[in-house]
Amino acid sequence: MSKNVQEQRMQALVSLCRRRAFIFQSSEIYGGLNGCWDYGPMGVELKRNVKDAWWRDMVMGREDVVGVDCSILMNPKVWEASGHVQSFTDPMVDCMQCKGRFRADHIENQQCPTCGSKNKFTEVRHFNLMFKTHVGALEDSSSVAYLRPETCQGIFANFDNIVSTSRVRVPFGIGQIGKAFRNEINPRNFTFRSREFEQMEMEFFVSADPAEAAKWFEYWKQERYQWYLSYGLTKERLHLREHAKDELAHYAAGCADIEYDFPFGRAELEGIANRTDYDLRRHSEFSKKDLTYFDDVSKTRYFPHVIEPSAGADRATLAFLIDAYAEEKDEKGETRTVLRFHPRLAPVKVAVFPLVNKDGMPEKASQIHAALKKKWNSFFDDKGAIGRRYRRQDEIGTPFCVTIDGESLSADTVTVRSRDSMTQVRVAAAQLVAHLEKDLG
Amino acid sequence: MSKNVQEQRMQALVSLCRRRAFIFQSSEIYGGLNGCWDYGPMGVELKRNVKDAWWRDMVMGREDVVGVDCSILMNPKVWEASGHVQSFTDPMVDCMQCKGRFRADHIENQQCPTCGSKNKFTEVRHFNLMFKTHVGALEDSSSVAYLRPETCQGIFANFDNIVSTSRVRVPFGIGQIGKAFRNEINPRNFTFRSREFEQMEMEFFVSADPAEAAKWFEYWKQERYQWYLSYGLTKERLHLREHAKDELAHYAAGCADIEYDFPFGRAELEGIANRTDYDLRRHSEFSKKDLTYFDDVSKTRYFPHVIEPSAGADRATLAFLIDAYAEEKDEKGETRTVLRFHPRLAPVKVAVFPLVNKDGMPEKASQIHAALKKKWNSFFDDKGAIGRRYRRQDEIGTPFCVTIDGESLSADTVTVRSRDSMTQVRVAAAQLVAHLEKDLG
């Protein structure tokens, strides 16, 4: 697709997200806050489904992973140990002419992008991307705290607590879902690069044998790549890219990105890193606590090495949205917009319609809706022509629409219309749950 | 119970929470951060279950409520409109002798609680409880933003977006679960009063008729009180307390607290408030946006009134923990510690044990565990005497333990032991899921 077509596709999705209550600008009535977004009634269910899928597949459903939920505000020494206080910075310059501030590496030909002045910049200063605040009654250096820029450090800080209280044995993982914050100078691409975002991170602790770490690094690369495929991302748009040696952080023994072809370009959904024993060693050093692990099989004590699959919940949600988005001809040859979500991710699983609002159809439809709602997020709609009701559900990605018509009352049947094939089948009302279960689980 | 017994009970719970991986101090290896807590492997599942129960009962399971998930950082004008910038303050004084800082209303007899100096205090200053940070590259007054001190303002700011994009009609609600932050001068009572906490809030919009608002206020008071009972809180410890007129915020037409008798005293779990049309009017005024609602039945335009049930997820979790906690005699007359969680809230639903690690029992137990794990959070344990394994599950509140013994292999049966009654029944392996479903749902 050409760049223009891609831009239109992205604009159409952003517009749909607003129109159908997936994603709004934060505090929009006040002009918004750059880099912050709100999930509306459809978006919140979609994102909950993405996070629940990750939790079920990565934590609760596994024998070798436990979960944790750490606070966003932590003791600031955590960020000294992690290196963020010193090194989590962007190089910035000010234009002395117009006072604008820019990333030094984004200035071309020493010319100000705002006022056009040349060679009027201050020296480069290093701007820390962590949001800073003060905890307690005093507002001085002793009370500084940061909004965590990543969730994983809470896992490292709890490593010893979890080893000593939970029945975990290397190799094992600790997973977490939670908000993180980065004061990005230039938030962009809708929810892709935002200042407030949610991570789904897991630290998988393995033995100190590099071959063992390399094996698990391979395992998690494949496992995570497959995860996105299993929830429906198009394989041709999903890429696993191994980092070159000169891209690696100084402590990392390997890193790979799972990338997706967004309309704005190929970009990272998730990073899988072999972080070696860097983090536990650093926290051990800075906290003066022994964070080694005693292996009761080999009877040795060591710092476990760590494989980290680190995913963005907002990025995954955005990828599922854009990948599901299609404009195509409907049954009548008219254009329909449809979100082809995987059934487990769809915010609404089934919609129930009385064909007309009389002859007992609304009552029957309400009964069926109430029964389905015990099991799935079901939506009742009795407004407008049936074709328009299908279109409204297509637009939010509802996999099935159940219609109650005249025959429903005489023969106790309903029609079930599939979002993707747009075909309808007639099903006995008593068989409806079993029929839907095949796809909705 | 005497004060001393209550204190011991609280200490025993705090100790259990740490020992069994429910709740740890945040960044404990660095000495912690006052007022911040981390949920460990058991705690994260418990709190997830509490939040999921609220979401299902208050949002997804209802016809008249939709959900939202707003950002923590919002345009600062939100907090001017809400009144927080001006009035969300505590009165503070400094001791000129020792430089200590205290809440003015906590100083008795004008004597410093730290150094004992009398009448050495500065004038009262008003200390804002919102955490402040700066967004963007400049750190000046133009870039100030706050960590939200409550989630509800994101709902009000999105009112018009949701009305115009979702099929909602007064009366209807918008629910949200999310973190909020308050720079409490004196965090205390474990997770009860912390600086970082999670709220479960719903704004229910009703017509401008005060009688209608009063009716819904009554409805939500009862509904929310019953909610805590339905998940097992002891009725004698749960109280619904109507605020006296002089306790009400100036804009409120009514307020009631749901209180629980914690070991440290009776304290608020949730507030239900009739906030009138104050919030929508204020945001309309400050944003210059029309936030009135057009009622297509009465053909009138008005600011809806709002009933707000506002619950604390951490407080609810703490109440479910302390209420479930018991020390009692077990089958053998020995003391056992048990958490009598409602089955829906229990972090682990069922544990599976081979009686001994031989004769095919571990293999059979593993098979059964794998089958149960598809449906529930199941835990496999083959370590130690069977009695000790029961005790370990009692301590984390697992409702059922399934044991595979010699007879399991010959007759394809298992024993199911109930946490609460400590009785065992023998069940055909093929009937196990159906047997557990009766209680686990």
Short mmCIF file of all heavy atoms in Angstrom, two decimals, chain B residues 151-188:
data_model
loop_
_atom_site.label_atom_id
_atom_site.label_comp_id
_atom_site.label_asym_id
_atom_site.label_seq_id
_atom_site.Cartn_x
_atom_site.Cartn_y
_atom_site.Cartn_z
N THR B 151 -10.51 8.68 40.68
CA THR B 151 -10.73 8.30 39.28
C THR B 151 -11.96 8.96 38.67
O THR B 151 -12.09 9.04 37.45
CB THR B 151 -10.88 6.76 39.14
OG1 THR B 151 -11.97 6.32 39.95
CG2 THR B 151 -9.61 6.05 39.56
N CYS B 152 -12.88 9.46 39.53
CA CYS B 152 -14.19 9.87 39.00
C CYS B 152 -14.13 11.05 38.04
O CYS B 152 -14.97 11.16 37.15
CB CYS B 152 -15.16 10.14 40.14
SG CYS B 152 -14.67 11.50 41.19
N GLN B 153 -13.15 11.95 38.20
CA GLN B 153 -13.14 13.13 37.33
C GLN B 153 -12.91 12.75 35.87
O GLN B 153 -13.36 13.45 34.96
CB GLN B 153 -12.09 14.15 37.80
CG GLN B 153 -12.35 14.72 39.19
CD GLN B 153 -13.69 15.44 39.33
OE1 GLN B 153 -14.20 16.02 38.38
NE2 GLN B 153 -14.27 15.38 40.53
N GLY B 154 -12.20 11.65 35.62
CA GLY B 154 -12.06 11.18 34.25
C GLY B 154 -13.40 10.78 33.65
O GLY B 154 -13.62 10.91 32.44
N ILE B 155 -14.28 10.30 34.49
CA ILE B 155 -15.62 9.94 34.03
C ILE B 155 -16.41 11.20 33.65
O ILE B 155 -17.02 11.27 32.59
CB ILE B 155 -16.36 9.12 35.12
CG1 ILE B 155 -15.65 7.78 35.34
CG2 ILE B 155 -17.83 8.94 34.74
CD1 ILE B 155 -16.24 6.92 36.45
N PHE B 156 -16.36 12.21 34.51
CA PHE B 156 -17.09 13.45 34.20
C PHE B 156 -16.54 14.10 32.93
O PHE B 156 -17.29 14.58 32.08
CB PHE B 156 -17.01 14.44 35.37
CG PHE B 156 -17.72 13.95 36.60
CD1 PHE B 156 -17.05 13.82 37.81
CD2 PHE B 156 -19.06 13.60 36.53
CE1 PHE B 156 -17.71 13.35 38.94
CE2 PHE B 156 -19.73 13.12 37.67
CZ PHE B 156 -19.05 13.00 38.87
N ALA B 157 -15.20 14.09 32.80
CA ALA B 157 -14.59 14.71 31.62
C ALA B 157 -14.99 13.97 30.34
O ALA B 157 -15.00 14.56 29.26
CB ALA B 157 -13.07 14.74 31.77
N ASN B 158 -15.34 12.69 30.44
CA ASN B 158 -15.74 11.91 29.28
C ASN B 158 -17.26 11.81 29.10
O ASN B 158 -17.72 11.09 28.20
CB ASN B 158 -15.17 10.48 29.37
CG ASN B 158 -13.75 10.41 28.83
OD1 ASN B 158 -13.52 10.64 27.66
ND2 ASN B 158 -12.81 10.10 29.70
N PHE B 159 -18.01 12.48 29.97
CA PHE B 159 -19.47 12.32 29.94
C PHE B 159 -20.04 12.56 28.54
O PHE B 159 -20.77 11.73 27.99
CB PHE B 159 -20.12 13.27 30.95
CG PHE B 159 -21.62 13.28 30.89
CD1 PHE B 159 -22.35 12.25 31.44
CD2 PHE B 159 -22.31 14.33 30.27
CE1 PHE B 159 -23.74 12.24 31.38
CE2 PHE B 159 -23.70 14.34 30.20
CZ PHE B 159 -24.41 13.29 30.76
N ASP B 160 -19.67 13.68 27.94
CA ASP B 160 -20.24 14.02 26.64
C ASP B 160 -19.77 13.05 25.55
O ASP B 160 -20.56 12.64 24.69
CB ASP B 160 -19.86 15.46 26.27
CG ASP B 160 -20.64 15.94 25.07
OD1 ASP B 160 -21.88 15.80 25.08
OD2 ASP B 160 -20.01 16.43 24.11
N ASN B 161 -18.50 12.66 25.58
CA ASN B 161 -18.00 11.67 24.62
C ASN B 161 -18.81 10.39 24.68
O ASN B 161 -19.12 9.79 23.65
CB ASN B 161 -16.54 11.30 24.97
CG ASN B 161 -15.55 12.21 24.26
OD1 ASN B 161 -15.89 12.86 23.28
ND2 ASN B 161 -14.33 12.25 24.77
N ILE B 162 -19.11 9.95 25.88
CA ILE B 162 -19.79 8.66 26.03
C ILE B 162 -21.26 8.77 25.65
O ILE B 162 -21.79 7.89 24.97
CB ILE B 162 -19.57 8.11 27.46
CG1 ILE B 162 -18.09 7.70 27.58
CG2 ILE B 162 -20.50 6.94 27.76
CD1 ILE B 162 -17.66 7.25 28.94
N VAL B 163 -21.91 9.87 26.04
CA VAL B 163 -23.31 10.04 25.64
C VAL B 163 -23.43 10.09 24.12
O VAL B 163 -24.35 9.50 23.54
CB VAL B 163 -23.90 11.32 26.28
CG1 VAL B 163 -25.24 11.68 25.63
CG2 VAL B 163 -24.07 11.14 27.78
N SER B 164 -22.46 10.73 23.47
CA SER B 164 -22.61 10.90 22.02
C SER B 164 -22.14 9.67 21.23
O SER B 164 -22.43 9.58 20.03
CB SER B 164 -21.86 12.15 21.55
OG SER B 164 -20.49 12.02 21.81
N THR B 165 -21.44 8.74 21.84
CA THR B 165 -20.93 7.59 21.08
C THR B 165 -21.49 6.25 21.54
O THR B 165 -21.36 5.26 20.84
CB THR B 165 -19.39 7.48 21.19
OG1 THR B 165 -19.03 7.30 22.56
CG2 THR B 165 -18.70 8.71 20.64
N SER B 166 -22.09 6.20 22.73
CA SER B 166 -22.59 4.93 23.25
C SER B 166 -24.10 5.05 23.39
O SER B 166 -24.62 6.13 23.56
CB SER B 166 -21.96 4.61 24.61
OG SER B 166 -20.55 4.64 24.51
N ARG B 167 -24.79 3.94 23.29
CA ARG B 167 -26.25 3.99 23.36
C ARG B 167 -26.69 4.03 24.82
O ARG B 167 -27.22 3.05 25.33
CB ARG B 167 -26.81 2.76 22.65
CG ARG B 167 -28.27 2.87 22.28
CD ARG B 167 -28.47 3.51 20.92
NE ARG B 167 -27.94 2.69 19.87
CZ ARG B 167 -28.54 1.55 19.43
NH1 ARG B 167 -29.67 1.15 19.94
NH2 ARG B 167 -28.00 0.86 18.45
N VAL B 168 -26.45 5.15 25.50
CA VAL B 168 -26.83 5.25 26.91
C VAL B 168 -27.93 6.30 27.06
O VAL B 168 -27.94 7.30 26.35
CB VAL B 168 -25.63 5.63 27.80
CG1 VAL B 168 -24.68 4.46 27.94
CG2 VAL B 168 -24.89 6.85 27.27
N ARG B 169 -28.84 6.05 27.96
CA ARG B 169 -29.96 6.95 28.23
C ARG B 169 -30.14 7.05 29.74
O ARG B 169 -30.14 6.03 30.41
CB ARG B 169 -31.26 6.40 27.61
CG ARG B 169 -31.35 6.54 26.10
CD ARG B 169 -31.74 7.98 25.73
NE ARG B 169 -31.45 8.31 24.35
CZ ARG B 169 -30.31 8.89 23.92
NH1 ARG B 169 -29.36 9.19 24.78
NH2 ARG B 169 -30.13 9.20 22.66
N VAL B 170 -30.29 8.27 30.26
CA VAL B 170 -30.53 8.45 31.68
C VAL B 170 -31.74 7.63 32.12
O VAL B 170 -32.75 7.64 31.40
CB VAL B 170 -30.78 9.97 31.95
CG1 VAL B 170 -31.45 10.19 33.30
CG2 VAL B 170 -29.47 10.75 31.84
N PRO B 171 -31.71 6.87 33.21
CA PRO B 171 -30.58 6.73 34.14
C PRO B 171 -29.56 5.70 33.64
O PRO B 171 -29.92 4.62 33.20
CB PRO B 171 -31.27 6.21 35.41
CG PRO B 171 -32.45 5.45 34.93
CD PRO B 171 -32.90 6.13 33.65
N PHE B 172 -28.28 6.06 33.72
CA PHE B 172 -27.22 5.12 33.35
C PHE B 172 -25.94 5.46 34.13
O PHE B 172 -25.80 6.57 34.65
CB PHE B 172 -26.94 5.16 31.84
CG PHE B 172 -26.14 6.37 31.41
CD1 PHE B 172 -24.75 6.30 31.27
CD2 PHE B 172 -26.77 7.58 31.18
CE1 PHE B 172 -24.01 7.42 30.89
CE2 PHE B 172 -26.04 8.71 30.80
CZ PHE B 172 -24.66 8.63 30.66
N GLY B 173 -25.02 4.50 34.15
CA GLY B 173 -23.78 4.70 34.88
C GLY B 173 -22.55 4.50 34.02
O GLY B 173 -22.60 3.85 32.97
N ILE B 174 -21.44 5.09 34.48
CA ILE B 174 -20.13 4.86 33.86
C ILE B 174 -19.19 4.42 34.98
O ILE B 174 -19.03 5.14 35.97
CB ILE B 174 -19.57 6.13 33.18
CG1 ILE B 174 -20.57 6.68 32.15
CG2 ILE B 174 -18.23 5.84 32.52
CD1 ILE B 174 -20.15 8.02 31.53
N GLY B 175 -18.61 3.23 34.83
CA GLY B 175 -17.76 2.67 35.88
C GLY B 175 -16.30 2.65 35.49
O GLY B 175 -15.97 2.59 34.31
N GLN B 176 -15.43 2.71 36.48
CA GLN B 176 -13.99 2.69 36.20
C GLN B 176 -13.23 2.07 37.37
O GLN B 176 -13.55 2.33 38.53
CB GLN B 176 -13.48 4.11 35.97
CG GLN B 176 -11.96 4.19 35.82
CD GLN B 176 -11.43 5.53 35.30
OE1 GLN B 176 -10.54 5.55 34.49
NE2 GLN B 176 -11.98 6.62 35.76
N ILE B 177 -12.22 1.29 37.05
CA ILE B 177 -11.28 0.79 38.06
C ILE B 177 -9.91 1.35 37.71
O ILE B 177 -9.48 1.26 36.55
CB ILE B 177 -11.20 -0.75 38.06
CG1 ILE B 177 -12.56 -1.35 38.45
CG2 ILE B 177 -10.12 -1.24 39.03
CD1 ILE B 177 -12.60 -2.88 38.41
N GLY B 178 -9.22 1.92 38.67
CA GLY B 178 -7.88 2.41 38.36
C GLY B 178 -7.18 3.01 39.57
O GLY B 178 -7.79 3.26 40.61
N LYS B 179 -5.89 3.24 39.39
CA LYS B 179 -5.06 3.78 40.46
C LYS B 179 -5.36 5.25 40.71
O LYS B 179 -5.64 6.01 39.78
CB LYS B 179 -3.58 3.65 40.08
CG LYS B 179 -3.05 2.22 40.14
CD LYS B 179 -2.34 1.92 41.44
CE LYS B 179 -1.92 0.47 41.57
NZ LYS B 179 -0.47 0.25 41.40
N ALA B 180 -5.22 5.67 41.95
CA ALA B 180 -5.26 7.08 42.32
C ALA B 180 -4.19 7.29 43.39
O ALA B 180 -3.69 6.31 43.98
CB ALA B 180 -6.63 7.47 42.83
N PHE B 181 -3.83 8.53 43.61
CA PHE B 181 -2.67 8.86 44.46
C PHE B 181 -2.99 10.04 45.37
O PHE B 181 -3.54 11.04 44.90
CB PHE B 181 -1.48 9.25 43.57
CG PHE B 181 -1.04 8.17 42.62
CD1 PHE B 181 -1.72 7.92 41.44
CD2 PHE B 181 0.06 7.37 42.93
CE1 PHE B 181 -1.33 6.92 40.57
CE2 PHE B 181 0.47 6.36 42.07
CZ PHE B 181 -0.23 6.14 40.89
N ARG B 182 -2.65 9.92 46.63
CA ARG B 182 -2.79 11.06 47.55
C ARG B 182 -1.57 11.10 48.45
O ARG B 182 -1.20 10.09 49.05
CB ARG B 182 -4.06 10.91 48.41
CG ARG B 182 -5.32 11.00 47.58
CD ARG B 182 -6.58 10.85 48.42
NE ARG B 182 -7.73 10.74 47.51
CZ ARG B 182 -8.99 10.57 47.90
NH1 ARG B 182 -9.28 10.48 49.20
NH2 ARG B 182 -9.96 10.48 47.01
N ASN B 183 -0.99 12.28 48.55
CA ASN B 183 0.23 12.43 49.35
C ASN B 183 -0.14 12.54 50.83
O ASN B 183 0.05 13.58 51.45
CB ASN B 183 1.00 13.66 48.85
CG ASN B 183 2.44 13.66 49.34
OD1 ASN B 183 2.87 12.77 50.08
ND2 ASN B 183 3.17 14.69 48.96
N GLU B 184 -0.65 11.46 51.37
CA GLU B 184 -1.06 11.43 52.78
C GLU B 184 0.13 11.76 53.67
O GLU B 184 1.21 11.21 53.48
CB GLU B 184 -1.57 10.02 53.15
CG GLU B 184 -2.79 9.55 52.41
CD GLU B 184 -4.08 10.16 52.95
OE1 GLU B 184 -4.02 10.85 53.99
OE2 GLU B 184 -5.13 9.94 52.31
N ILE B 185 -0.08 12.61 54.64
CA ILE B 185 1.00 12.95 55.56
C ILE B 185 1.34 11.76 56.45
O ILE B 185 2.49 11.52 56.79
CB ILE B 185 0.60 14.16 56.43
CG1 ILE B 185 0.34 15.37 55.52
CG2 ILE B 185 1.65 14.49 57.46
CD1 ILE B 185 1.45 15.66 54.55
N ASN B 186 0.32 10.98 56.77
CA ASN B 186 0.53 9.89 57.72
C ASN B 186 -0.16 8.60 57.24
O ASN B 186 -1.20 8.24 57.76
CB ASN B 186 -0.02 10.34 59.09
CG ASN B 186 0.19 9.29 60.15
OD1 ASN B 186 1.02 8.38 60.01
ND2 ASN B 186 -0.58 9.39 61.22
N PRO B 187 0.45 7.92 56.25
CA PRO B 187 -0.15 6.64 55.80
C PRO B 187 -0.13 5.66 56.97
O PRO B 187 0.82 5.67 57.76
CB PRO B 187 0.80 6.17 54.69
CG PRO B 187 1.71 7.30 54.38
CD PRO B 187 1.76 8.17 55.59
N ARG B 188 -1.15 4.83 57.09
CA ARG B 188 -1.18 3.92 58.24
C ARG B 188 -2.17 2.78 58.04
O ARG B 188 -2.88 2.75 57.04
CB ARG B 188 -1.54 4.69 59.52
CG ARG B 188 -2.89 5.36 59.48
CD ARG B 188 -3.04 6.36 60.62
NE ARG B 188 -4.28 7.10 60.55
CZ ARG B 188 -4.50 8.16 59.77
NH1 ARG B 188 -3.56 8.61 58.98
NH2 ARG B 188 -5.68 8.76 59.77
#
